[in-house]
Amino acid sequence: EDTNDIGAKAVKVGNEVFFRIAVGGATGHKSFARDVGVLVKPSELNKVIVALIRVYIANGNRGDRKKARLKHLLENWSLEKYLEEAEKILGCKLQRASYENTDGHRPPLHSHLGVYQKKQKGLNYVGVAMPVGQITPKQMLRVAEIADLYGSGEIRLTVWQNFIIPNISDTYVATVQKALRKIGFDTQQSLLRGGLIACTGNSFCKFAQANTKGHAVVLADYLDKKITLDSPINIHLTGCPNSCAQHYMGDIGLLGTKVRGEDGYHVFVGGGFGANQAVGRQIFTGLPFEDVKSTLEKMLKGYLRRRESGETFQKFTLRHELNTLQAIFTNDE
């Protein structure tokens, strides 16, 4: 929620569930959303978000593509003013709460891959790895059939471009896993593939400078043969500075570019979100894709070789200056 123009995060206050609202995120512009200091009941959430959108429509710069984000309005407005304008549309005051960073607890592994028990006794949800969000029509129909036969007919999507089938009884978990594997999906994934995200790429987007989805799959196949990780790594490939895949907030971010007329990437490190909010720093410039594969191999091996006990990739990169990291990441020893 901290990467978008408007984000909502569920929180518990006593025994009640509310949403905290954050506004102004645009990670392609190196900005995270800021908490506006209100608690919203779930039943009121949609109309509150509509009011926030209407304030932007009335006051934001929608004529300049480079300025057409809510964050730019907040460069001239305070959060309180924005909230007051939304309350005029709503016709009521929103429940105030202390301001906070919209981070919360983040699990150490990639979220929701595997089988997890639900609160409801005897029910589970199955998190399914769908590499860089790609699925065929045949697979999609079969997934829907599996959800109907063994679950409640629901399928939920995750920000990691994977999906969840909820409400699977204990009896059918193994059957569902087997059926998914048969059509090419697994409920387990390497610690590298689980956090691999890619935008549409130049196959379908006129702004993209590289074939991000195709390269992401090739990159995962290559790295999985070369490296065994014991902690998760997030790699984000985005085709242009609009940053639909949010390269600034990945452990490793790849921004598409052209290198001597061929697909290439700029490389960033140290990005994060939530409790680990940070904007990635550019460490390499204009690498042809073929060089990206070996470069990332050296980067990950350098991290595994030099890290402190329990140190994540992000913390490792934040601990070093860029010139030190470049030396570590280009050295095979």
Side-chain angles (χ1 to χ4, degrees), residues 210 236-243 247-248 253-257 264-268 282:
H236 297 212
L237 291 85
T238 197
C240 77
N242 288 324
S243 192
H247 66 284
Y248 280 124
L254 301 178
L255 171 60
T257 187
Y265 292 91
H266 305 307
V267 182
F268 298 75
Q282 186 169 341

Side-chain angles (χ1 to χ4, degrees), residues 108-126:
L109 300 179
H110 299 127
S111 300
H112 308 304
L113 287 182
V115 178
Y116 298 87
Q117 290 183 337
K118 297 186 58 146
K119 289 182 179 179
Q120 297 84 351
K121 188 175 180 180
L123 290 181
N124 307 270
Y125 70 84
V126 179

Side-chain angles (χ1 to χ4, degrees), residues 87-100:
E87 288 173 332
K88 289 178 185 178
I89 294 172
L90 290 166
C92 64
K93 286 280 187 181
L94 294 172
Q95 181 178 340
R96 295 300 196 272
S98 60
Y99 287 84
E100 68 171 28

Side-chain angles (χ1 to χ4, degrees), residues 10 21 32 46 68 75-76 84 96 105 118 144 163 177 179 195 197 221 231 247 250 285-286 301 304 310 317:
I21 306 296
F32 288 92
N46 283 349
E75 290 168 356
N76 299 311
E84 288 172 357
R96 295 300 196 272
H105 172 70
K118 297 186 58 146
F163 67 90
Q177 289 179 295
I197 296 178
D221 290 341
S231 60
H247 66 284
T285 301
K301 285 181 176 178
L304 293 173
T317 59

Side-chain angles (χ1 to χ4, degrees), residues 191-261:
L191 292 172
L192 186 143
R193 290 179 190 265
L196 190 67
I197 296 178
C199 72
T200 298
N202 60 13
S203 296
F204 301 103
C205 175
K206 66 180 181 179
F207 297 112
Q209 296 294 300
N211 178 17
T212 53
K213 285 200 184 292
H215 290 158
V217 173
V218 171
L219 195 57
D221 290 341
Y222 176 86
L223 292 175
D224 264 344
K225 293 175 183 176
K226 301 286 186 177
I227 300 167
T228 300
L229 296 172
D230 54 12
S231 60
I233 294 287
N234 299 321
I235 301 177
H236 297 212
L237 291 85
T238 197
C240 77
N242 288 324
S243 192
C244 292
Q246 301 170 340
H247 66 284
Y248 280 124
M249 59 176 287
D251 288 311
I252 298 174
L254 301 178
L255 171 60
T257 187
K258 289 298 182 187
V259 181
R260 296 183 293 276

Side-chain angles (χ1 to χ4, degrees), residues 2 32 102-108 234 248-251 270-280 312 314-315 318:
D2 50 4
F32 288 92
T102 57
D103 47 37
H105 172 70
R106 301 285 178 170
N234 299 321
Y248 280 124
M249 59 176 287
D251 288 311
F273 59 95
N276 303 308
Q277 235 180 53
V279 174
T312 65
Q314 185 199 35
K315 288 180 179 177
L318 293 177

